[in-house]
Amino acid sequence: MENLVISSAFWLNRRVFVTGQTGFKGAWLSLMLSRLNVRATGFALAPPTEPDLFTLAGAGACIEDMRGDIRDADALAGAMQAAAPEIVIHMAAQSLVRESYADPVATYATNVMGVVNVLEAARRTPGVRLVLIVTTDKCYDNRGWVWGYRETDALGGRDPYSSSKACAELVAAAYRDSFRAQGPRILTARAGNVIGGGDFATDRILPDALRAFSAGRTLKVRHPQAVRPWQHVLEPLAGYLCLIESAMTSDEKAAQLEGGVNFGPGPESERSVEELLTQFAGAWGAGARWERDGDDHPHEASRLRLDTAKARETLGFAPILDFEQATLWTAQWYRAQVNREDIAALTLKQIDRYLGQRVRLSSPFPQASKDAQDDRRIVAG
């Protein structure tokens, strides 16, 4: 099947409301939307780390940047009504497993009631046609299977983070079934593990590697044999846009996309943490060392695999960056940041190169770099 592309004509001047724009994925999405000439508004807390991608890449100049807490239902509703969007993309979340053990109450308040507040705000905002709730591959009841989890498999989670995301899926499904006639269409997306420049969170493998390698320290690794479906952050973000575009241009397709959509790589990119670090360290160069940390740690699944047949067959969507490319782009970004290079320019260059292979043009891509023009493979139609 032809790999689905993003239509520049569909996104031109669309009004989009994004929660979590100051986070890792949110900052990349803000920049991607600006390259597609979307009229985007964001609602989020201040960037969660120091340094942070949102600031380094100048994403605040690409989106109307509103600050607030999704747990504050009235502030959220007011911001959404002021933005008057057609599309809402909800990504604000407490996204760390270890943090969920440390503060489960805040995790559930953000990840469950935050979804309720977003859906209530969307119902109260005239003109909203579609809400996309972004969750995670960890929303599934992980039984240690060797095959991938499908969208119809049971939801669950042994840690507060994972179960909060399963709850978010259930909330979205209940709102969809209860208010179908009175509100916007509600879809959910579940993405596998993402890598990419600009993630500075604690207890994530490549940000931890960055901090250790740049300081000349040996990285301590908790679970080197754990296997994850690694993908570059731009892949699921493009998947979300393709999902929205398909659902808003075809009622038949929209009905098929209900019940969640998995976005992840094929089996060829399902690699162990050890393989990821070996690849990343090779791209990083001198001074990259790691070893296993033998201390006791909270439970984490040893294997997690997604079945992405629905995205491939219903949407025609598949990743275009393989494991080696995704790891290389990530290492190059972090190395450039350590060397104090122009991070804003590099981030946009990577986005343009990616979109050059993913966007169907109705007119010349107005902000594309020369690299993007060189890489572009335009799909007809």
Side-chain angles (χ1 to χ4, degrees):
M1 178 178 289
E2 177 183 84
N3 197 9
L4 189 70
V5 293
I6 300 166
S7 168
S8 62
F10 175 87
W11 289 99
L12 179 64
N13 289 325
R14 289 275 178 180
R15 301 185 71 92
V16 177
F17 188 87
V18 177
T19 70
Q21 79 278 6
T22 58
F24 167 54
K25 289 175 72 175
W28 279 101
L29 179 62
S30 298
L31 293 164
M32 180 183 283
L33 291 175
S34 76
R35 296 317 238 188
L36 294 169
N37 296 298
V38 170
R39 298 169 66 186
T41 300
F43 183 87
L45 297 170
T49 62
E50 171 60 43
D52 69 275
L53 175 62
F54 189 79
T55 301
L56 288 173
C62 301
I63 189 169
E64 185 178 352
D65 182 26
M66 304 181 71
R67 299 297 169 89
D69 192 328
I70 60 168
R71 292 173 294 185
D72 185 337
D74 290 338
L76 174 63
M80 192 180 297
Q81 290 166 12
E86 283 187 85
I87 299 163
V88 175
I89 305 176
H90 175 50
M91 297 198 301
Q94 195 298 99
S95 59
L96 299 173
V97 172
R98 281 199 159 197
E99 179 62 24
S100 77
Y101 282 110
D103 195 348
V105 173
T107 298
Y108 284 107
T110 299
N111 293 355
V112 183
M113 286 308 300
V115 172
V116 173
N117 292 341
V118 167
L119 293 174
E120 280 294 303
R123 291 178 64 215
R124 292 162 56 186
T125 302
V128 175
R129 296 176 56 193
L130 184 144
V131 180
L132 176 65
I133 306 295
V134 176
T135 65
T136 174
D137 56 358
K138 295 178 180 63
C139 69
Y140 293 106
D141 181 13
N142 194 315
R143 303 177 184 180
W145 291 336
V146 295
W147 54 84
Y149 291 90
R150 300 163 299 178
E151 290 85 352
T152 54
D153 286 329
L155 302 172
R158 289 181 55 181
D159 59 85
Y161 168 72
S162 301
S163 70
S164 74
K165 287 299 195 175
C167 291
E169 288 280 350
L170 294 173
V171 168
Y175 264 76
R176 181 174 57 244
D177 293 340
S178 298
F179 306 112
R180 187 182 297 273
Q182 297 91 11
R185 188 178 296 277
I186 301 169
L187 299 175
T188 65
R190 307 158 184 176
N193 287 59
V194 297
I195 59 176
D199 186 359
F200 296 101
T202 57
D203 290 323
R204 285 191 185 143
I205 188 62
L206 292 190
D208 286 348
L210 159 72
R211 285 183 281 268
F213 296 169
S214 60
R217 293 185 285 104
T218 299
L219 173 68
K220 302 286 188 177
V221 182
R222 298 192 301 269
H223 303 290
Q225 300 309 313
V227 176
R228 297 288 185 268
W230 308 104
Q231 60 184 325
H232 193 276
V233 63
L234 290 173
E235 300 285 15
L237 296 180
Y240 305 158
L241 300 186
C242 288
L243 171 60
I244 292 167
E245 186 177 327
S246 293
M248 289 184 65
T249 53
S250 169
D251 287 340
E252 179 183 1
K253 190 67 67 72
Q256 295 173 351
L257 294 169
E258 292 184 353
V261 180
N262 291 337
F263 290 99
E268 68 282 355
S269 290
E270 293 170 358
R271 308 289 183 93
S272 69
V273 170
E274 180 176 7
E275 291 175 284
L276 175 68
L277 283 173
T278 299
Q279 187 77 24
F280 184 77
W284 179 271
R289 304 184 305 276
W290 66 273
E291 64 183 20
R292 181 174 185 136
D293 184 351
D295 295 339
D296 290 336
H297 301 286
H299 171 268
E300 291 185 36
S302 61
R303 176 178 290 273
L304 189 53
R305 172 176 290 173
L306 284 179
D307 184 324
T308 59
K310 185 173 182 178
R312 294 170 187 265
E313 295 170 8
T314 306
L315 284 176
F317 183 91
I320 56 178
L321 296 176
D322 62 25
F323 175 77
E324 288 74 19
Q325 289 173 304
T327 309
L328 177 62
W329 281 28
T330 304
Q332 289 174 337
W333 195 101
Y334 282 125
R335 175 59 83 178
Q337 190 261 334
V338 169
N339 292 340
R340 300 183 181 276
E341 297 176 20
D342 188 340
I343 284 300
L346 175 60
T347 306
L348 291 176
K349 177 179 177 180
Q350 290 188 346
I351 290 172
D352 286 349
R353 295 191 72 170
Y354 181 85
L355 290 178
Q357 300 178 61
R358 185 68 86 177
V359 173
R360 178 174 60 239
L361 302 174
S362 58
S363 59
F365 196 43
Q367 303 184 68
S369 68
K370 179 61 166 60
D371 287 322
Q373 298 285 356
D374 291 343
D375 287 349
R376 179 164 294 122
R377 295 196 298 272
I378 300 172
V379 180

